Amino acid sequence: MDFNFTEEQEMVRDGLSRLVREQYDWETRRAAIASDAGWRPEIWAQLAELGILGMPFSEEDGGFGGGAVDAMIVMEEFGKGLVVEPFVPTVVCAGGFLKHAGTPAQKEEHIGGIVDGSRVFAFAYAEPRGRYDYADLETTAKKDGDSYVLNGHKAVVIGAPWASHLVVTARTSGERRDHDGVSVFVLAKDTEGVVTRDYETVDGRRASEVYFENVSLPSDALIGEEGAALPLIERVTDEAIAAQCAEACGAMKVAHAMTLEYSKQRKQFGVPIGKFQVLQHRMVDMYTAYEQSVSLTYLATLRLNASETERKRAASAAKVGVGQAARLIGQESVQIHGGNGVTDEYAIGHYFKRLTIFESEFGDVDHHMKRHVSLASQR
Amino acid sequence: MNLEFTPEEQAFREEVRRFIEENHPKHLEGMGNREDMSPEDMTAWHKILGKKGWSAPAWPVEYGGTGWTPTQRYIWSEENARVGTFMPLPFGIAMVGPVIYTFGNEAQKQQHLPGILSGDVWWCQGYSEPGAGSDLASLKTTAVRDGDHYIINGQKTWTTLAQYADWGFFLCRTDPDAAKPQEGISFILIDMKTPGVEVKPIKLLDGSYEVNETWLTDVRVPVENLVGEENKGWTYAKFLLAHERSGIAGVARSKRAVEKLREIAAAEMLDGEPLINDFDFARKVSQLEIDLAALEITELRTLAGEQAGKGPGPESSILKIKGTEIQQRLTELTLEAVGTYGAPLYGNIANVPGDAGSNQYPVGPDYARHAAATYFNMRKTSIYGGSNEIQRNIITKMILGL
């Protein structure tokens, strides 16, 4: 057993932590998310330069040979600064599909662009009526000779306004919600027939509704085996869950620290409110929930290469535990900040918003509780 | 970073497993329920471990410890939990032993450590008083110097299993005029057979006799039974409490208890289906497992810190709070799982002579027999060892800096 980070990992953490501190301060972030672009491509370029975008890829794929622990470190630092740049959709999701199931030609075509920052991806998996079931697809990709014809509507595709490319899930055969017949495709966003409607999300990011209208895809747009992609999707989304749990841990850590600090400054009845035991114990419960979340994030991250059941159980456990903690810490932070907590001017409300939306990405607490329960019989 | 055990640690696990398999008395397997056990049962495993030199894994080797790493100690507790052994009571091994080898003099070490290791001497703890529980510093029991003796007067309470104790360690006020309530307290060892020591059992709500009132009336104790310096007892008391809290998470035992809970919920029926197939119930079990998985990694992180030289700090308060909450929730869910048969009063209360208990007509499944009693009994865990409110106060001060 080993809970230590390597020297290299500590260096990455220090570098990122400095970048977030110096270039992702509160006012700069606020201006950036309010700008037309909504993100900072120059930060993305800097991340590429620092090697962050290439970290989880093997050296033969053009990366730096890191893994899930590296992604965890990156996301935790991003969470502390509420970084909006699309590391999870691009590096963890698209990168994950290519890494696990891409052909040599697909890797060749895309991974280099991810590593050097020139290709940005969004992962279009959710649908208006599918909730969190990756197999509940109304989007279809019909085989047409040597190509596929893609039709459908994907909901809240995070980062799509910034993306040059999309990874899309679609049904190639079978009935809605069948486990077989699910496939994954990669395509450029400017492919004919792709229509997007862009908007802001409540936590300061950008997303799109993406419509596919008779989009013609060549057969080499298919990642992995036709109709057998569900286990692959679950694997990649479990990796995304581990990464986003780390992000939530970073955000919770800062939210808790800000709340503590506030409780030492803010006076009521002549004393700092942090002297009231009723608030102290609530801040202790927040701290405990945070520490337990870190543990579950480690567990989910370190189990990504375990057996399928173990991996899924750990990911769902993390999504449940971290989701509950995110809600507790978000709500309590605002409550303890009093009126200031509900203003746009104070940072705490923005941590609260990110922690709230975190819960609904890749399945909420109830969804993952059900998955955890159903996995219990498979041990 | 990884969660795997090294080949050496795996080999250690095999060795431990084999030792338990070959030496643990079969009739005690899975008992773990004091109400059913005689005092001989309670010390049986301790005595076997004493002969092997494994009764105090965490002690320094020079005083009879094993030299095991924290990870090995963790494996040790997992393997014991698997079989459900009754581990040595904490009063000697986990509490007074470390105080004696850290603060005691040579004579005290020679006199007391061997009996603690072997399990031949039974210890009890005299800290709490009727008016001094979590606010321990307000204790009133006095020790007044009279030549080469202390004369001790007062009343202690919650003295766990003192009915069998040979020796006790007591906190007594030696300087009633000290500036602060924490000062002027001394840590004194008392032979429980000394005239004036009287132990009266307290019956608990689960029907057991686990704790006692201990009355001390003009008890004459030789001054050489003072540990460390006079009036410095508070320091030793705090040291002891920090030791008591490490290992209090009880992860390995709780993991075993969850398995047991699943077995029960598979046997119990609801609407003609096993209870465990009911989503509402299964969800509660999953929640427990998730909290427990988090606690396990939190404990391992704490152990890793210890292995790197960071002593058990205030973080151990997290382990106490979450560990006991989970233990209580487990017993609560187990009682829920057994349903109707949770109601009959059972319990062969063997701890007090003359009280035969009331299990002449055992009814219902075996696993239901102790569900209620265990649930009632486990309410103590968030109260003892510094209540969970006190643990929150410790985190407030030591970690949050409020």
Side-chain angles (χ1 to χ4, degrees):
Chain A
M1 236 175 322
D2 173 16
F3 290 100
N4 295 312
F5 297 103
T6 64
E7 223 170 283
E8 233 173 349
Q9 288 167 334
E10 294 287 2
M11 269 167 52
V12 169
R13 185 194 291 285
D14 288 349
L16 266 184
S17 161
R18 198 173 328 110
L19 183 139
V20 170
R21 206 171 44 244
E22 290 169 1
Q23 300 186 46
Y24 233 97
D25 61 281
W26 183 236
E27 288 308 323
T28 313
R29 175 188 184 270
R30 196 212 280 268
I33 65 171
S35 70
D36 286 345
W39 72 314
R40 284 187 289 162
E42 70 272 20
I43 291 279
W44 194 250
Q46 229 174 311
L47 292 172
E49 224 167 280
L50 286 169
I52 302 297
L53 303 182
M55 223 167 37
F57 298 102
S58 70
E59 284 169 27
E60 64 197 55
D61 288 340
F64 302 103
V69 174
D70 302 84
M72 177 176 86
I73 292 168
V74 170
M75 288 304 292
E76 196 190 337
E77 295 306 314
F78 283 2
K80 289 179 189 169
L82 295 181
V83 169
V84 298
E85 277 67 25
F87 183 84
V88 167
T90 303
V91 178
V92 179
C93 295
F97 281 113
L98 291 163
K99 220 165 50 171
H100 300 313
T103 61
Q106 285 169 332
K107 290 181 181 177
E108 171 88 34
E109 157 145 28
H110 298 291
I111 291 182
I114 294 177
V115 175
D116 71 18
S118 61
R119 282 198 178 179
V120 176
F121 282 80
F123 178 32
Y125 65 96
E127 296 197 356
R129 281 188 289 266
R131 208 166 170 79
Y132 304 122
D133 181 354
Y134 304 121
D136 189 345
L137 293 171
E138 292 184 275
T139 299
T140 57
K142 287 216 165 65
K143 191 107 186 201
D144 177 25
D146 221 14
S147 57
Y148 295 90
V149 180
L150 188 62
N151 275 290
H153 169 197
K154 292 289 180 178
V156 200
V157 183
I158 295 290
W162 310 322
S164 60
H165 288 72
L166 301 173
V167 171
V168 184
T169 61
R171 181 162 291 290
T172 40
S173 66
E175 300 293 318
R176 197 173 155 187
R177 288 194 292 271
D178 276 357
H179 282 196
D180 289 330
V182 177
S183 301
V184 177
F185 299 91
V186 57
L187 65 153
K189 199 175 75 174
D190 60 8
T191 307
E192 203 184 327
V194 178
V195 177
T196 57
R197 231 177 68 217
D198 301 347
Y199 49 87
E200 297 173 22
T201 60
V202 294
D203 54 348
R205 296 180 297 170
R206 298 292 163 99
S208 309
E209 296 301 289
V210 181
Y211 304 89
F212 301 100
E213 295 166 359
N214 293 319
V215 177
S216 176
L217 297 177
S219 59
D220 65 0
L222 176 75
I223 302 184
E225 209 182 314
E226 184 189 293
L230 196 59
L232 173 65
I233 295 169
E234 294 206 72
R235 177 168 182 194
V236 170
T237 49
D238 282 347
E239 291 169 351
I241 284 170
Q244 287 201 318
C245 284
E247 180 194 10
C249 285
M252 287 190 284
K253 185 175 191 156
V254 171
H256 186 241
M258 284 166 79
T259 305
L260 266 184
E261 197 46 45
Y262 184 83
S263 78
K264 289 176 191 174
Q265 309 299 332
R266 169 75 178 171
K267 285 190 176 173
Q268 293 269 274
F269 309 107
V271 290
I273 58 171
K275 292 283 172 212
F276 299 124
Q277 196 180 53
V278 66
L279 293 191
Q280 291 176 345
H281 285 192
R282 283 161 68 172
M283 285 186 273
V284 169
D285 289 344
M286 290 160 70
Y287 167 72
T288 306
Y290 162 74
E291 287 292 342
Q292 292 278 82
S293 295
V294 171
S295 294
L296 286 170
T297 301
Y298 282 11
L299 185 67
T301 305
L302 297 173
R303 287 275 183 262
L304 285 175
N305 293 320
S307 73
E308 191 184 335
T309 308
E310 262 190 273
R311 184 200 77 218
K312 287 179 174 176
R313 272 175 63 81
S316 284
K319 204 66 180 43
V320 170
V322 180
Q324 290 166 336
R327 196 178 282 197
L328 174 85
I329 290 174
Q331 291 177 347
E332 292 285 68
S333 293
V334 168
Q335 175 71 20
I336 292 169
H337 272 81
N340 290 323
V342 294
T343 63
D344 183 61
E345 199 190 323
Y346 267 73
I348 192 66
H350 298 263
Y351 283 87
F352 174 43
K353 289 196 279 187
R354 177 68 195 110
L355 287 171
T356 303
I357 299 307
F358 156 76
E359 220 194 300
S360 67
E361 292 181 85
F362 304 108
D364 62 10
V365 168
D366 281 353
H367 173 82
H368 281 284
M369 184 63 90
K370 286 200 184 88
R371 189 165 87 141
H372 195 273
V373 166
S374 73
L375 289 163
S377 54
Q378 291 176 28
R379 272 178 307 167
Chain B
M1 243 192 180
N2 67 70
L3 291 175
E4 317 313 321
F5 292 102
T6 64
E8 291 75 27
E9 285 162 351
Q10 296 285 17
F12 175 77
R13 187 187 291 281
E14 289 308 315
E15 181 190 353
V16 161
R17 189 171 292 186
R18 210 172 320 113
F19 177 77
I20 295 175
E21 167 73 22
E22 286 166 9
N23 294 282
H24 185 259
K26 290 285 172 281
H27 75 282
L28 293 177
E29 243 168 56
M31 288 269 279
N33 235 328
R34 279 182 198 164
E35 300 94 276
D36 287 341
M37 300 175 87
S38 66
E40 292 72 32
D41 287 343
M42 282 189 258
T43 50
W45 187 225
H46 188 161
K47 287 181 178 169
I48 292 165
L49 295 178
K51 289 201 183 78
K52 173 79 174 170
W54 283 5
S55 60
W59 287 20
V61 175
E62 56 173 316
Y63 297 120
T66 55
W68 292 343
T69 64
T71 310
Q72 286 176 310
R73 272 147 49 194
Y74 184 78
I75 291 170
W76 170 243
S77 62
E78 267 197 326
E79 289 303 315
N80 275 279
R82 237 169 43 82
V83 180
T85 64
F86 190 86
M87 295 300 273
L89 291 162
F91 314 106
I93 298 286
M95 298 180 177
V96 74
V99 171
I100 291 175
Y101 68 64
T102 308
F103 303 105
N105 58 39
E106 212 39 57
Q108 287 166 341
K109 292 180 199 173
Q110 299 217 350
Q111 181 185 356
H112 295 297
L113 296 184
I116 293 173
L117 287 168
S118 69
D120 290 327
V121 179
W122 189 306
W123 283 83
C124 66
Q125 177 192 47
Y127 269 30
S128 296
E129 297 184 6
S134 286
D135 177 20
L136 189 55
S138 65
L139 64 89
K140 292 199 172 61
T141 295
T142 55
V144 178
R145 191 74 183 255
D146 177 28
D148 52 6
H149 281 78
Y150 287 110
I151 311 294
I152 300 180
N153 280 285
Q155 185 199 345
K156 294 288 177 182
T157 191
W158 313 131
T159 339
T160 305
L161 297 173
Q163 62 265 47
Y164 309 122
D166 304 300
W167 280 81
F169 49 100
F170 288 78
L171 289 179
C172 307
R173 198 165 286 289
T174 34
D175 178 6
D177 303 320
K180 287 205 252 163
Q182 293 92 319
E183 291 164 9
I185 292 171
S186 296
F187 192 101
I188 298 173
L189 310 178
I190 300 180
D191 183 336
M192 295 297 280
K193 289 184 289 297
T194 316
V197 177
E198 195 188 354
V199 173
K200 294 183 188 166
I202 302 171
K203 187 170 184 172
L204 294 180
L205 82 162
D206 64 341
S208 70
Y209 290 97
E210 193 174 66
V211 293
N212 302 272
E213 290 177 356
T214 302
W215 297 77
L216 303 157
T217 313
D218 292 329
V219 179
R220 286 180 69 83
V221 175
V223 286
E224 55 259 34
N225 288 8
L226 171 77
V227 176
E229 284 178 58
E230 196 173 82
N231 297 331
K232 291 275 185 275
W234 189 249
T235 310
Y236 317 142
K238 275 199 306 186
F239 168 87
L240 180 150
L241 285 170
H243 266 262
E244 185 184 357
R245 275 196 288 277
S246 66
I248 212 161
V251 169
R253 305 254 151 190
S254 288
K255 276 167 80 175
R256 180 72 195 97
V258 174
E259 280 175 38
K260 186 81 195 147
L261 171 60
R262 283 198 176 280
E263 288 164 22
I264 293 172
E268 285 289 319
M269 301 299 276
L270 170 71
D271 285 341
E273 283 260 349
L275 175 63
I276 196 66
N277 293 355
D278 176 63
F279 183 74
D280 289 330
F281 190 83
R283 156 179 209 123
K284 290 187 258 187
V285 181
S286 265
Q287 181 74 60
L288 199 58
E289 285 188 301
I290 291 165
D291 292 344
L292 187 54
L295 182 67
E296 181 172 18
I297 304 290
T298 304
E299 186 178 32
L300 291 172
R301 286 165 59 208
T302 314
L303 284 177
E306 234 180 284
Q307 206 149 346
K310 277 174 44 190
E315 296 82 11
S316 64
S317 289
I318 290 190
L319 303 180
K320 161 88 201 307
I321 294 170
K322 292 310 292 184
T324 54
E325 282 177 0
I326 287 168
Q327 288 159 29
Q328 291 183 337
R329 185 74 184 125
L330 252 167
T331 61
E332 197 180 346
L333 268 190
T334 305
L335 177 59
E336 241 177 274
V338 303
T340 321
Y341 278 116
L345 174 65
Y346 298 111
N348 179 13
I349 310 297
N351 289 356
V352 165
D355 189 335
S358 53
N359 68 335
Q360 291 94 327
Y361 309 106
V363 292
D366 280 357
Y367 57 68
R369 207 142 300 167
H370 293 292
T374 310
Y375 167 69
F376 295 136
N377 187 277
M378 290 305 274
R379 303 318 294 173
K380 72 189 176 191
T381 61
S382 53
I383 301 167
Y384 68 32
S387 71
N388 284 14
E389 285 73 23
I390 296 293
Q391 302 306 325
R392 285 183 171 85
N393 290 349
I394 291 171
I395 295 176
T396 299
K397 256 172 104 170
M398 310 292 286
I399 298 178
L400 305 189
L402 290 171

